[in-house]
Amino acid sequence: MITPQSHSRIAAAAALLKEGGVVAFPTETVYGLGADISNLSAVRRIFEIKKRPTNHPLIVHLAGLSGLSRWAHEVPEQAWQLADNFWPGPLTLVLQRSHHVPEGVTGGQDTVGLRVPDHPVALALLNVLGPEKALVAPSANRFGRISPTTAAHVREELGEAVDMVLDGGPCRVGLESTIVGFDGETVIILRPGGIPLPALAEVLKDRVIVSGQEKHAVRVPGALRSHYAPETPLELWPSELLSHRTLELGAKGLRVAVIAWSDQQMDHAENKNIVHFSLPAEPVGYGRLLYGTLRRFDHERFDHLLVEAPPDEPGWMAIADRLQRASCAAQHDE
Ligand code: TXA
Ligand code: MG
C-alpha cells in the first residue's frame, strides 16, 4: 500500500532522478539502484558506485507492457506471451534493443534486458517519471555481493554514495528476476530466478526451454561462477553429511552457523560455537529469507557458514544456483 508519506517520497525520488540523481528503490525481487536511462552521467555513476565493470549490461525497468515496443524491436511472439503472463513480475526478457536504448546501458551489446517490476512503489515511481522514461537498475549491492532485500541492507551496502533510498519494506520474492533470452523458437534461461521453472514451462507448453549460459556469449555477471557471495566461507552440504561436517568443524573450536531447511536433528547442543538456523522447507519462503539470513550470519563473524543443499527439484533451481555461486566464492578465497 502507498501512504501519503510514501507519495511525497516517490515524488522527491522522481525529481532527483530527473536531475540526474541515483536512487535505490524496492522491487518485488531485490532493491535496485536506479537512474534515468537517458542520463548517461547518472548511468555511469551506477557502475562506479557498484564497482561494476562497464561491459556488464543493466536491466531496464518499465511501467508497463506497452514499453516493450518502445525499448525493444523484433519482439518474438514468445516474448509477448511471457510478458502477458508474468508482467508485472520477476521476469526479465533479453531482446533486440531499439535505438532508444543508449549503448552505455547494454555494455555495447545489441540486446537489452527489460522487465516490469511488481512492486507498488517501483510502479508508482515509473508512472510519475512518465511513459517516455525508464529506469536502469542493477541490484543495489557492491559487485559480486549479496543483493539487498531491505532498505537497511542498501544503506549498509552503499551508504552515502546514493542520493536517496526509497523504503518499500522487505522484498516479497527475495531472489533476483528470472532472465530469459530468445533464439528462434527456443527460450533460453540465462539466470534462474523469481519465476520458477515449472511456471515458465506451463506457459511455453511444447516450446523448448534450455538452460544454456555457455552456449550464449552474453555477459551476465550473475552467471559468473562466483557471485552473490557472503564474506564468510560458505559450504554447501547434502542433508546426510551436514551433521558430520558441523561436528568436525565444531571439534576444531571453530564458530559455525548451520542453515538448514529439513527438520533433521543435530547432536551439537553441547557446543556453544555452533548455531543452528532453520529456513522454510518450501522454495517461496526459503527464497524470501535467504539473502537476509546470509547477510545476518555474515555480520556475526562465524568462521564457517554450512548450508544444507536444497532439494534437487525444478522449483528450487534459483536457490540452488545462488547457493552454488556463494559457495564457489568461498572456495576461491581459501
Ligand atoms: O530482479 C532483478 O533482476 C533485479 C531488480 C533490481 O530488478 N536486478 C538485477 O540486476 O538483478 P543486476 O544488474 O544485478 O543483474 C542483472 C543481470 C546481469 O547479470 C546482467 O548481465 C543481465 O541481467 N543482463 C542485463 N541485460 C542483459 C542483456 N542484454 N543480455 C544478457 N544479460 C543481461
Ligand atoms: Mg546483481
Side-chain angles (χ1 to χ4, degrees):
M1 215 199 52
I2 299 191
T3 60
Q5 239 170 340
S6 43
H7 263 305
S8 70
R9 292 281 291 165
I10 290 165
L16 271 171
L17 288 162
K18 282 183 179 161
E19 290 161 15
V22 167
V23 172
F25 64 96
T27 82
E28 80 283 29
T29 58
V30 300
Y31 274 72
L33 181 59
D36 171 355
I37 188 170
S38 53
N39 191 312
L40 284 189
S41 71
V43 173
R44 235 178 278 130
R45 250 183 86 202
I46 283 189
F47 286 96
E48 283 163 20
I49 292 171
K50 272 190 69 98
K51 303 200 176 12
R52 172 166 166 148
T54 53
N55 60 357
H56 289 277
L58 302 176
I59 292 177
V60 177
H61 295 70
L62 313 174
L65 193 70
S66 60
L68 246 185
S69 35
R70 175 175 171 80
W71 302 101
H73 72 116
E74 295 171 24
V75 178
E77 193 203 314
Q78 289 101 314
W80 284 110
Q81 197 186 357
L82 289 175
D84 240 355
N85 274 275
F86 295 112
W87 281 3
L91 180 69
T92 296
L93 305 176
V94 173
L95 296 162
Q96 292 303 308
R97 76 176 155 100
S98 78
H99 66 274
H100 292 294
V101 181
E103 249 187 50
V105 164
T106 65
Q109 302 190 46
D110 55 5
T111 55
V112 62
L114 301 175
R115 90 175 188 98
V116 178
D118 186 16
H119 192 292
V121 171
L123 288 173
L125 181 62
L126 285 158
N127 280 311
V128 173
L129 288 169
E132 309 274 277
K133 293 280 185 192
L135 281 178
V136 289
S139 51
N141 52 280
R142 284 168 295 135
F143 186 64
R145 316 295 313 168
I146 302 168
S147 297
T149 52
T150 66
H153 295 165
V154 178
R155 291 194 195 96
E156 172 187 303
E157 279 283 321
L158 305 175
E160 302 299 304
V162 297
D163 298 318
M164 182 175 178
V165 180
L166 266 180
D167 192 344
C171 299
R172 173 174 60 78
V173 175
L175 297 171
E176 301 80 355
S177 60
T178 301
I179 304 180
V180 302
F182 301 88
D183 183 0
E185 294 280 285
T186 312
V187 176
I188 303 138
I189 296 180
L190 299 170
R191 177 179 73 181
I195 302 282
L197 187 60
L200 274 182
E202 196 181 314
V203 168
L204 292 169
K205 299 272 182 313
D206 54 339
R207 294 190 192 106
V208 200
I209 303 175
V210 186
S211 182
Q213 284 151 356
E214 308 78 20
K215 195 175 143 219
H216 286 256
V218 284
R219 284 176 288 262
V220 188
L224 298 176
R225 245 165 58 83
S226 142
H227 212 75
Y228 307 103
E231 274 161 30
T232 315
L234 184 152
E235 296 179 11
L236 205 49
W237 287 91
S239 310
E240 62 278 16
L241 299 178
L242 189 65
S243 183
H244 177 79
R245 179 62 174 158
T246 306
L247 293 173
E248 189 175 62
L249 292 174
K252 291 183 187 165
L254 295 168
R255 293 191 68 227
V256 182
V258 184
I259 300 170
W261 55 268
S262 67
D263 55 4
Q264 59 169 305
Q265 296 301 312
M266 283 204 206
D267 188 21
H268 52 65
E270 299 299 297
N271 193 330
K272 296 219 166 31
N273 283 333
I274 299 174
V275 169
H276 191 274
F277 188 80
S278 289
L279 282 173
E282 47 77 32
V284 172
Y286 188 110
R288 184 179 300 146
L289 298 176
L290 175 62
Y291 287 164
T293 304
L294 292 180
R295 199 173 270 278
R296 178 183 140 198
F297 285 115
D298 211 12
H299 283 316
E300 293 184 14
R301 299 271 162 239
F302 283 89
D303 296 308
H304 283 264
L305 303 182
L306 296 189
V307 181
E308 179 178 13
D312 185 14
E313 291 166 16
W316 287 81
M317 189 172 156
I319 291 163
D321 171 82
R322 302 306 190 273
L323 286 173
Q324 197 62 49
R325 292 179 207 290
S327 68
C328 275
Q331 281 159 22
H332 292 169
D333 288 346
E334 270 177 3

